[in-house]
Amino acid sequence: MAWSHLGSCFLFICSLLALVSGSQIQRTSLPIISFDEGYTQLFGDDNLVMYRDGKTVHLSLDERTGSGFASQDLYLHGYFSASIKLPADYTAGVVVAFYMSNGDMFEKNHDEIDFEFLGKIRGKDWRIQTNIYGNGSTSVGREERYSLWFDPSDDFHQYSILWTNSQIIFYVDNIPIREVKRTESMGGDFPSKPMSLYATIWDGSDWATNGGKYRVNYKYAPYVAEFSDFVLHGCAVDPIEQFPRCDHTESSQAIPTGVTPVQRIQMESFRTKLTTYSYCYDRARYKVPPSECVINTKEADRLKNYDPVTFGGGRRHHGKRHHRSRSSRAEVITI
């Protein structure tokens, strides 16, 4: 039994590593830009620092402020990517985000596509969260959370978003970890308006680590997140006319159009082993899964064993409860 378990884990890790090795070819074939070519500082004053001739940016969080940057253009669909190295050691309460949003233009009906990295106490791992909102549907919440097969604070890893009119795919080192297909029943809940790309580091003490139990400890500050290998390859949109200007270049051939058969096997393996939360299986929130959910029995069985109350629909004990931050960017469920 033990050998069988170790063997399956070994095969899983080897298959992931094989696909990661293949991703390096694709990464170099995509147009990588300098920071100044595509981004501008959003906030944080000197907590944003550029290195390597503008090819790498450090964002830091200290007692004074966090920091962040935003794309110079709005985009309607495309492939967006960055290599990120997260802060090490004690990072409880720290949130690093790499995401798309148009909240500054559409305050009450904004769209959003999120990667969020949730800090940790010593001995625990960083958690990665993905989420999407469409047309201000923040009350629904389409969160998923995962463990990773590596320590994201040890080295740079590539995090990518593919956004088209019909689907959204999240990638880690070219491995698709989540696919959201647009359905007619979703209506405006699928992101469909031009968005900017953002990266931020900020204090999420109220919710990010164990529902706010562990807060940012500034004796470990500054917390530094590093960003490099910037890819902004999409249809830029005029902010006034809202008309997309698509640049069809040869490099477009390197952008994925969907999940390949090999990647689908890898994605299923990742999801059935490393997913720790998915709204589609949360019986405490949704008695009936939202219409876009495609139920995978392996995922469902694993999550039900992981947390029978949340994913099995049983009664909740020991005072565990839902937690929602006041910020729309921090709407998660404590598990």
Side-chain angles (χ1 to χ4, degrees):
M1 188 73 176
W3 281 108
S4 175
H5 175 71
L6 288 173
S8 63
C9 289
F10 176 76
L11 290 173
F12 172 62
I13 293 171
C14 286
S15 61
L16 287 175
L17 289 175
L19 195 54
V20 170
S21 298
S23 75
Q24 302 304 317
I25 298 174
Q26 185 183 52
R27 182 185 300 184
T28 55
S29 65
L30 291 170
I32 295 174
I33 63 174
S34 67
F35 178 82
D36 285 340
E37 286 181 276
Y39 290 100
T40 187
Q41 183 165 2
L42 186 65
F43 70 102
D45 301 323
D46 55 359
N47 278 18
L48 184 153
V49 180
M50 281 191 289
Y51 294 90
R52 290 177 50 214
D53 297 325
K55 298 295 179 65
T56 298
V57 169
H58 288 191
L59 296 181
S60 61
L61 167 68
D62 55 30
E63 288 180 295
R64 186 173 50 89
T65 184
S67 52
F69 57 83
S71 61
Q72 296 172 13
D73 288 325
L74 291 164
Y75 294 92
L76 182 64
H77 307 143
Y79 183 86
F80 311 96
S81 182
S83 293
I84 305 172
K85 182 179 179 183
L86 299 176
D89 202 12
Y90 183 97
T91 54
V94 176
V95 179
V96 177
F98 180 66
Y99 66 103
M100 304 191 74
S101 178
N102 48 33
D104 56 340
M105 296 180 62
F106 303 97
E107 184 177 348
K108 295 183 178 180
N109 62 334
H110 82 288
D111 305 308
E112 206 166 300
I113 304 174
D114 301 336
F115 268 116
E116 291 177 308
F117 306 92
L118 311 181
K120 64 184 182 69
I121 60 174
R122 285 199 180 97
K124 299 294 183 179
D125 297 326
W126 276 91
R127 293 179 302 159
I128 181 173
Q129 174 167 289
T130 62
N131 203 354
I132 68 167
Y133 299 130
N135 204 33
S137 59
T138 56
S139 61
V140 178
R142 291 177 167 85
E143 308 97 328
E144 287 193 348
R145 285 196 288 277
Y146 328 88
S147 300
L148 292 169
W149 65 96
F150 55 83
D151 183 345
S153 65
D154 277 349
D155 203 352
F156 285 93
H157 290 270
Q158 185 185 30
Y159 304 90
S160 310
I161 296 168
L162 174 66
W163 173 38
T164 74
N165 185 56
S166 60
Q167 64 182 341
I168 295 167
I169 303 175
F170 296 88
Y171 298 84
V172 176
D173 286 337
N174 197 39
I175 297 169
I177 64 169
R178 181 180 184 184
E179 178 186 35
V180 180
K181 291 187 176 181
R182 185 176 195 166
T183 64
E184 185 176 348
S185 58
M186 286 183 74
D189 284 2
F190 189 90
S192 57
K193 298 186 292 294
M195 292 189 278
S196 300
L197 197 76
Y198 296 88
T200 57
I201 184 170
W202 51 286
D203 186 329
S205 290
D206 289 344
W207 66 277
T209 308
N210 289 64
K213 180 179 180 181
Y214 302 101
R215 305 179 67 82
V216 173
N217 187 336
Y218 283 103
K219 80 175 185 179
Y220 298 106
Y223 298 98
V224 179
E226 304 174 56
F227 292 77
S228 188
D229 294 338
F230 300 109
V231 174
L232 282 170
H233 200 84
C235 295
V237 173
D238 185 287
I240 305 300
E241 298 180 358
Q242 301 258 322
F243 184 77
R245 306 184 304 276
C246 295
D247 180 19
H248 297 289
T249 64
E250 292 183 4
S251 60
S252 297
Q253 298 175 5
I255 294 177
T257 57
V259 178
T260 67
V262 172
Q263 286 179 321
R264 191 161 298 282
I265 294 171
Q266 300 301 324
M267 181 169 64
E268 182 172 346
S269 184
F270 172 90
R271 293 182 61 82
T272 55
K273 291 177 172 66
L274 297 176
T275 301
T276 59
Y277 178 84
S278 173
Y279 77 104
C280 284
Y281 304 100
D282 189 338
R283 297 296 176 260
R285 293 175 75 187
Y286 304 111
K287 302 306 178 186
V288 177
S291 61
E292 73 274 8
C293 291
V294 177
I295 302 302
N296 180 302
T297 54
K298 291 181 180 179
E299 289 181 30
D301 289 344
R302 179 183 176 275
L303 288 173
K304 188 173 181 179
N305 290 330
Y306 179 79
D307 185 343
V309 174
T310 300
F311 302 112
R315 297 183 63 184
R316 187 171 294 275
H317 300 286
H318 306 300
K320 291 183 75 174
R321 61 184 176 85
H322 293 282
H323 173 83
R324 180 170 292 164
S325 167
R326 293 179 182 177
S327 170
S328 64
R329 289 205 32 74
E331 287 195 353
V332 299
I333 298 300
T334 301
I335 58 173

